[in-house]
């Protein structure tokens, strides 16, 4: 049977996992694969594992329990190894890297910030500020059959939307970066300006949340900020 891997910790992590269960139905018991300086928390992998809500929650629950007592390198849901021996071999092979990353992440958590902007508000801004859009729009109004101008207008607006979203994402990143140790820029959904992950010292979590709220207040009701966390630092492993 394959081995399911949840996360990696230092060898001296207390591993207080009483009452915490792994993936599968029935829930798989957790166990530790230890080397000289590292520990991987694993379980047997159930047959036909899929990202069901119950199993995703179980995976997350193991990581949250580990993070509560010390730095943890979280594995993505569904990571399998052939057996425990192969897990131990991988720990030995990456010992220096894993130990350095654990030291880097110690006392930190991840927060994700997603920002959306009302599309009508963005389009109004483009029409107001872009002379090219104004000119093409005037031509299409004057001549509804002006096909080339209508196509050109759509292309210009599309370019403006993309450029302005990128510029706003850069400004937002720059504004929030001083409140975090590290930033990871993710791919934003079609209706979002940005999806940003921040590595934040646990002691500064409230200050970071206030910084996000300040940015939301500055931008007004046309923007929707979604702050998620604390999370295992997936984006920084």
């Amino acid at each position: 049977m394959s081995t399911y891997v949840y996360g990696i910790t230092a060898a001296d992590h207390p591993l207080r996992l009483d009452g915490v269960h792994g993936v599968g139905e029935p829930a798989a018991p957790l166990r530790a694969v230890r080397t000289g300086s590292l520990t991987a928390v694993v379980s047997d992998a159930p047959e036909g594992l899929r990202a069901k809500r119950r199993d995703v929650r179980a995976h997350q629950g193991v990581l949250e329990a580990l993070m509560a007592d010390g730095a943890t390198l979280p594995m993505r849901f569904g990571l399998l190894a052939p057996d425990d021996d192969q897990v131990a071999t991988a720990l030995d092979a990456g010992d220096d890297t894993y130990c350095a990353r654990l030291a880097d992440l110690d006392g930190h958590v991840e927060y994700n910030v997603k920002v959306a902007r009302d599309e009508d508000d963005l389009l109004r801004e483009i029409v107001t500020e872009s002379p090219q859009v104004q000119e093409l729009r005037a031509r299409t109004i004057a001549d509804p059959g002006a096909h080339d101008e209508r196509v050109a207008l759509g292309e210009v607006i599309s370019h403006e939307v993309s450029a302005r979203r990128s510029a706003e994402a850069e400004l937002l990143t720059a504004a929030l970066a001083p409140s975090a140790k590290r930033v990871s820029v993710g791919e934003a959904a079609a209706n979002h300006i940005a999806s940003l992950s921040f590595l934040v010292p646990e002691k500064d979590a409230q200050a970071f949340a206030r910084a996000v709220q300040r940015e939301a207040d500055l931008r007004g009701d046309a923007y929707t900020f979604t702050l998620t966390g604390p999370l295992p630092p997936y984006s920084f492993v």
Side-chain angles (χ1 to χ4, degrees):
M1 180 176 290
S2 298
T3 297
Y4 185 100
V5 186
Y6 298 86
I8 299 171
T9 70
D12 60 357
H13 192 288
L15 299 184
R16 290 188 289 194
L17 296 171
D18 291 345
V20 181
H21 302 287
V23 297
E25 187 61 47
L30 301 173
R31 62 180 182 271
V33 175
R34 300 179 185 274
T35 62
S37 54
L38 296 168
T39 299
V41 175
V42 306
S43 70
D44 288 341
E47 295 292 333
L49 178 67
R50 295 179 181 175
K52 297 178 181 178
R53 181 177 298 179
R54 183 239 169 259
D55 288 328
V56 171
R57 285 180 175 174
H59 180 94
Q60 186 81 1
V62 173
L63 293 175
E64 289 175 354
L66 291 172
M67 288 176 59
D69 286 323
T72 303
L73 301 184
M75 301 296 107
R76 296 287 184 183
F77 177 86
L79 180 66
L80 302 179
D83 52 40
D84 288 11
D85 288 342
Q86 289 296 316
V87 174
T89 298
L91 292 181
D92 282 331
D95 185 271
D96 290 344
T97 299
Y98 292 142
C99 288
R101 190 56 57 86
L102 282 167
D104 184 54
L105 296 179
D106 191 24
H108 293 75
V109 290
E110 178 175 332
Y111 282 87
N112 179 259
V113 179
K114 287 184 172 63
V115 184
R117 182 178 179 182
D118 181 77
E119 187 172 356
D120 289 341
D121 181 74
L122 177 57
L123 292 175
R124 282 193 295 270
E125 178 182 279
I126 291 171
V127 171
T128 300
E129 297 181 358
S130 172
Q132 188 178 12
V133 169
Q134 293 170 7
E135 180 182 351
L136 288 170
R137 187 165 178 265
R139 290 182 186 178
T140 59
I141 292 174
D143 181 4
H147 175 73
D148 291 346
E149 284 79 1
R150 192 174 297 279
V151 171
L153 176 61
E155 291 176 347
V156 171
I157 289 177
S158 178
H159 174 76
E160 285 282 347
V161 167
S162 178
R164 289 171 187 250
R165 282 177 172 169
S166 295
E168 287 197 295
E170 290 180 4
L171 289 172
L172 182 63
T173 303
L176 292 175
S179 300
K181 180 176 181 179
R182 201 171 301 151
V183 183
S184 175
V185 179
E187 184 174 353
N191 61 333
H192 282 75
I193 292 170
S195 176
L196 306 171
S197 294
F198 296 87
L199 187 65
V200 179
E202 289 179 306
K203 64 182 179 59
D204 297 334
Q206 291 186 355
F208 180 76
R210 289 194 295 268
V212 173
Q213 187 60 55
R214 283 195 300 271
E215 292 303 314
D217 292 341
L218 284 172
R219 284 164 174 77
D221 294 339
Y223 293 78
T224 301
F225 279 62
T226 303
L227 175 62
T228 306
L231 302 167
Y234 290 114
S235 302
F236 303 95
V237 174

